[in-house]
Amino acid sequence: MADITVLGAGGFGVALSVMLERFAHRVTLWSAFSEEIEAIKRDGEHKKLLPGVPVPDSIQLTDDISCVAGKELVIFAVPSFAVRQVAQKAVSYLDENTIAANVAKGLERGTLKRLSQVLAEELPRNKVVVLSGPSHAEEVARGIPTTIVCASDDRESAQKVQDIIMNKTLRIYVNDDLIGVELGAALKNVIALAAGINDGLGLGDNSKAALMTRGITEIARLGCALGSQRETFAGLSGIGDLIVTCTSMHSRNRRAGILIGEGNTAAQAIEKVGMTVEGYISCKCAYDLSHKAGIEMPIIDQMYEVLYNDKKARDAIRDLMERPKRHESEMVWLLSR
Ligand SMILES: NC(=O)c1ccc[n+]([C@@H]2O[C@H](COP(=O)([O-])OP(=O)(O)OC[C@H]3O[C@@H](n4cnc5c(N)ncnc54)[C@H](O)[C@@H]3O)[C@@H](O)[C@H]2O)c1
């Protein structure tokens, strides 16, 4: 049994807390917003973000960030854009032996940093791990068998988190390729938006399979150029997470994509989904990263045009289909400058 704080009381923070409590951990769930904490206390669940999942009284609910003190593990379950800010709030209360685990899937806008880099900068005394894989909150909360990876530059910390968290509903594999795991996690959301557009346009299974397969190929291409291993993208945080995100209605990114395919602008689609659509920001980050590294990412380029320059989705699909001929395993992928 471990003492664990989960930072962020959205869908995934609540799901993780409920799952960890079920396996006898002492869990504290923190939100920056006192109204959110009060609402969960009052309703016994998070009515908006994880309805129908009871939050037991044994989970301590608080908006006081000093709740990170003295914990074995602190899990950052806030949206990507809030990770740095929450780490800055927590740092003065954290013990140096506490492991910081990030579950947010994204890159930092502007700096293009991976979130483990952000945490390492803000929490220089703490070991950092990343948990990632196909793990919808709705299913984790209900104990549906789920598999994820725990990645870190520090194998011992990853194994420790595996020891603490793994249970009969959540199987965890250790992974040493932090860069690959984080890029897979962040960029699959862009492909999920594309898969949603495919569905919203009324296209088919062939076209969706094409987006997913060529999508993971270009994510891997960028990843390899940035120092990760190709096989990571065939794993849980690569193709695994891509499959779940591109095929499930639990995915906000896919739902936003469907709305765009049906004729909404990106802004309208995000407003209608009503929650964070992380693929929108990740698309801009991936676009900037790939152009900086000189790596060809045709689906990302087209998604950037659709999301940021109001290109018609049908025109984007046409332009993808009419690209110059290629060999499937072609290694000539440097952008011509
Ligand atoms: N939902 C899932 O199934 C799932 C699964 C795996 C990973 N993740 C990742 O976990 C992260 C959180 O996802 P989620 O689904 O819980 O998101 P969410 O939109 O449900 O979470 C919103 C919550 O984040 C917190 N928050 C929002 N803005 C904040 C701020 N400025 N400062 C501090 N806290 C803030 C609040 O508690 C809010 O309720 C995301 O990066 C997501 O990609 C989600």
Side-chain angles (χ1 to χ4, degrees):
M1 187 210 278
D3 244 325
I4 302 173
T5 289
V6 177
L7 298 175
F12 203 44
V14 172
L16 285 172
S17 301
V18 168
M19 183 267 296
L20 291 167
E21 191 275 346
R22 192 178 296 139
F23 289 93
H25 296 295
R26 277 187 300 273
V27 180
T28 302
L29 175 59
W30 171 90
S31 169
F33 310 104
S34 55
E35 321 83 76
E36 185 165 51
I37 291 298
E38 289 315 312
I40 300 174
K41 281 185 184 164
R42 184 187 64 236
D43 301 330
E45 63 177 343
H46 198 313
K47 269 194 180 328
K48 180 176 176 220
L49 295 173
L50 201 62
V53 173
V55 176
D57 292 340
S58 44
I59 293 179
Q60 212 184 328
L61 295 163
T62 182
D63 62 356
D64 179 355
I65 193 69
S66 69
C67 68
V68 297
K71 306 291 172 161
E72 281 167 83
L73 179 63
V74 169
I75 301 177
F76 286 75
V78 292
S80 311
F81 66 80
V83 169
R84 186 181 289 280
Q85 194 191 331
V86 171
Q88 285 167 348
K89 281 186 186 166
V91 63
S92 57
Y93 300 100
L94 273 174
D95 294 353
E96 62 183 326
N97 294 329
T98 302
I99 298 177
N102 173 55
V103 298
K105 294 175 178 173
L107 297 167
E108 189 177 50
R109 197 176 200 153
T111 68
L112 308 181
K113 287 182 178 161
R114 290 176 286 108
L115 298 176
S116 70
Q117 295 176 302
V118 170
L119 283 182
E121 279 175 14
E122 298 298 337
L123 314 173
R125 300 182 318 149
N126 297 92
K127 298 281 195 239
V128 174
V129 307
V130 164
L131 296 167
S132 182
S135 50
H136 283 315
E138 294 78 357
E139 299 187 5
V140 168
R142 293 184 170 86
I144 290 177
T146 298
T147 52
I148 60 172
V149 297
C150 182
S152 180
D153 287 336
D154 182 61
R155 168 84 68 96
E156 208 180 307
S157 298
Q159 284 170 337
K160 197 163 171 205
V161 173
Q162 180 187 44
D163 285 343
I164 295 173
I165 298 185
M166 188 162 133
N167 60 56
K168 64 184 182 193
T169 67
L170 183 72
R171 181 167 176 77
I172 301 184
Y173 294 85
V174 165
N175 185 307
D176 300 321
D177 182 10
L178 197 48
I179 301 176
V181 164
E182 291 188 283
L183 284 178
L187 301 198
K188 57 95 192 179
N189 282 333
V190 191
I191 307 301
L193 274 162
I197 289 176
N198 175 83
D199 296 340
L201 284 172
L203 299 179
D205 297 336
N206 295 354
S207 43
K208 182 141 78 175
L211 285 167
M212 290 165 68
T213 315
R214 294 309 301 171
I216 199 70
T217 302
E218 66 182 60
I219 293 172
R221 196 185 292 147
L222 177 68
C224 292
L226 298 180
S228 54
Q229 295 148 22
R230 190 168 292 277
E231 60 266 28
T232 303
F233 300 96
L236 290 167
S237 67
I239 194 71
D241 214 356
L242 189 78
I243 290 170
V244 90
T245 319
C246 290
T247 59
S248 169
M249 276 312 272
H250 289 315
S251 165
R252 298 167 191 181
N253 292 285
R254 177 169 173 247
R255 292 206 308 269
I258 291 173
L259 290 165
I260 295 170
E262 288 171 347
N264 293 275
T265 63
Q268 288 165 337
I270 290 168
E271 202 189 326
K272 284 186 188 170
V273 169
M275 295 179 254
T276 316
V277 176
E278 293 192 305
Y280 180 74
I281 295 173
S282 294
C283 180
K284 165 91 174 105
C285 294
Y287 182 86
D288 289 348
L289 262 183
S290 64
H291 283 258
K292 209 164 138 190
I295 298 299
E296 189 178 88
M297 297 188 82
I299 300 175
I300 294 289
D301 283 351
Q302 291 300 329
M303 284 303 296
Y304 179 79
E305 293 303 323
V306 170
L307 295 177
Y308 288 88
N309 292 325
D310 286 332
K311 180 168 182 172
K312 295 255 173 299
R314 276 197 191 278
D315 294 343
I317 302 273
R318 182 204 59 218
D319 289 350
L320 281 171
M321 291 302 288
E322 293 181 357
R323 294 177 60 241
K325 291 172 188 161
R326 288 278 194 271
H327 185 290
E328 188 176 24
S329 311
E330 192 156 356
M331 296 304 287
V332 182
W333 34 253
L334 292 182
L335 280 177
S336 47
R337 292 170 190 256

